[in-house]
Amino acid sequence: MNAQNKWNFDTVIDRINTDSIKWDSAFLKEYFKGEDLLPLWVADMDFQSPQPVIDALVKRAKHGIFGYCAESSEDYLNTVISWFNRRYGWSIEKDWIIYSPGVVPACNYIYQRFSQPGDKIIIQEPVYYPFARGITANGRIVESNQLQLENNYYTINFTELEKQLKDPLSKIFVLCSPHNPVGRVWKKEELKQIGDLCLENEVLVIADEIHCDLIYPGFKHIPFASLSNDFAQNSIKTSSGTKTFNLAGLHYSNAIIPNEKLREDFKAQCTINAATIPNVFGGLALQVAYDQCEDWLEALIDYIVENFKYLQDYISDKLPDISIIPPEGTYLAWMDFRDYKLEGKKLQKKLIEAKVALDSGYIFGAGGDGFERINIGCPRETLHEALVRISNAVKDF
Ligand SMILES: Cc1ncc(COP(=O)(O)O)c(C=O)c1O
């Protein structure tokens, strides 16, 4: 039996009536304005988490007392240290690991603590849309260092970035690594150039590496802070196992902060936001996943890679006017519909009429219009059905 069969990613599991934002929330119906949609939008997967995680959570639930959760145990911290060592050859220390209820909350605390209202925070659009939302909600200004697309490949506009970093109002740079939605796994030279420029201009780096475990064969994720002590001292890594093991609803993440002053400030901001006491299930799930479920992760990556091939073959066979940016990481794929010459909202409307919910490119900011992000973290049957619906949506363009 190969690993994929062992884990059976092909099983379609009904998620209706499970309070899933992706499948049955009021938000889904209101935002997309449609019913009976097949949802391949928000970034969680339609796979069960690995069995050891489920077993550990069931055992904990059967205890039946769900009082306040203690701080991270020594065992838990050792597990996190071992994960980054094993998978990335990166040594981190116990003190550096700080709980937060999520990567997005952690980013917001960082904006609040390390910048002032009216300051600029640089992001690389088209990018994960809650970054811009959090920046503006906190009264800061979004400065977009738009990625450049040439021959179906995204790169960084360093000339513009350098100018943006030199602006005294720029205080924070948000590195999305791997990048959601364009799927780039940044190379060492790119990361070094970013790190050097941020140091030179005294701009703090948030390294959002939440997708770092989901890397396609042939690519390698390099933790930003692992590149040099100077980079480590000038950055906060936000991480979590929630993408890797499909645990997003448990709301648990780790900020990894080698610099003591940054760490103390970050912790103080968590206290201000009353975000210091974890959910009892979150750390447990992550610990079991990191300790016992690496084989599940390898099988998952194989399945995602095959899903991407399926998507690519289907598109080139039946929908040749759409092109896809080949992902290097994540379970998301960025599809280019611009040949249809339809404005993003109209394209979205057509897709919804065909009963498929994707994340429309325009919500990812500059450079996103005319693209759609599809979540391929689902059984192949679901992906196939979505592709049939996409074909129906575009057939009269
Ligand atoms: C780049 C990125 N950062 C953060 C998050 C969400 O993190 P959390 O659920 O821990 O707030 C996502 C989810 O899709 C993401 O893609």
Side-chain angles (χ1 to χ4, degrees), residues 43 101-105 128 131 176 178 180 208 210-211 240 242-243 248 251-253 332 373:
V103 165
V104 170
Y128 179 58
F131 290 155
C176 189
N180 166 11
D208 178 343
I210 194 169
H211 293 277
S240 144
T242 52
K243 298 291 153 205
H251 285 284
Y252 193 98
S253 88
L332 308 163
R373 190 191 74 176

Side-chain angles (χ1 to χ4, degrees), residues 24-217:
D24 60 4
S25 64
F27 175 79
L28 166 73
K29 285 161 201 160
E30 256 169 59
Y31 175 73
F32 287 99
K33 305 204 186 329
E35 293 286 336
D36 304 322
L37 296 167
L38 186 64
L40 287 86
W41 62 296
V42 71
D44 69 27
M45 300 188 283
D46 294 326
F47 304 127
Q48 278 191 334
S49 291
Q51 196 60 43
V53 171
I54 300 170
D55 293 344
L57 294 183
V58 168
K59 186 169 168 218
R60 178 64 187 82
K62 281 190 173 157
H63 181 257
I65 299 178
F66 308 111
Y68 291 114
C69 184
E71 70 278 5
S72 307
S73 68
E74 287 287 301
D75 271 3
Y76 169 83
L77 296 172
N78 284 329
T79 292
V80 176
I81 290 171
S82 166
W83 181 260
F84 288 109
N85 220 327
R86 255 183 0 255
R87 295 197 67 90
Y88 306 102
W90 183 36
S91 299
I92 62 171
E93 293 175 19
K94 278 182 201 162
D95 292 350
W96 301 1
I97 305 168
I98 315 294
Y99 159 78
S100 86
V103 165
V104 170
C107 289
N108 284 5
Y109 307 154
I110 298 166
Y111 310 149
Q112 290 160 9
R113 191 76 189 189
F114 302 102
S115 68
Q116 298 296 324
D119 281 345
K120 293 182 179 170
I121 297 178
I122 305 173
I123 57 175
Q124 296 187 298
E125 291 178 326
V127 76
Y128 179 58
Y129 41 88
F131 290 155
R133 216 179 272 162
I135 293 167
T136 41
N138 281 288
R140 278 66 171 165
I141 295 166
V142 172
E143 179 68 29
S144 182
N145 172 238
Q146 195 184 325
L147 296 174
Q148 336 174 98
L149 176 60
E150 213 176 307
N151 299 328
N152 244 16
Y153 188 69
Y154 280 94
T155 54
I156 294 171
N157 182 341
F158 278 107
T159 314
E160 192 196 31
L161 179 60
E162 191 166 358
K163 272 196 223 132
Q164 292 169 317
L165 288 167
K166 280 194 193 314
D167 181 341
L169 284 178
S170 296
K171 295 293 175 353
I172 299 172
F173 172 81
V174 185
L175 170 70
C176 189
S177 174
H179 191 281
N180 166 11
V182 310
R184 277 294 317 278
V185 171
W186 303 112
K187 294 184 186 141
K188 189 174 182 177
E189 306 79 66
E190 292 169 312
L191 295 172
K192 282 191 79 153
Q193 211 170 333
I194 290 171
D196 287 338
L197 285 170
C198 288
L199 272 177
E200 236 171 82
N201 293 289
E202 295 179 14
V203 170
L204 175 68
V205 177
I206 298 178
D208 178 343
E209 299 181 348
I210 194 169
H211 293 277
C212 71
D213 300 317
L214 298 154
I215 304 295
Y216 279 56

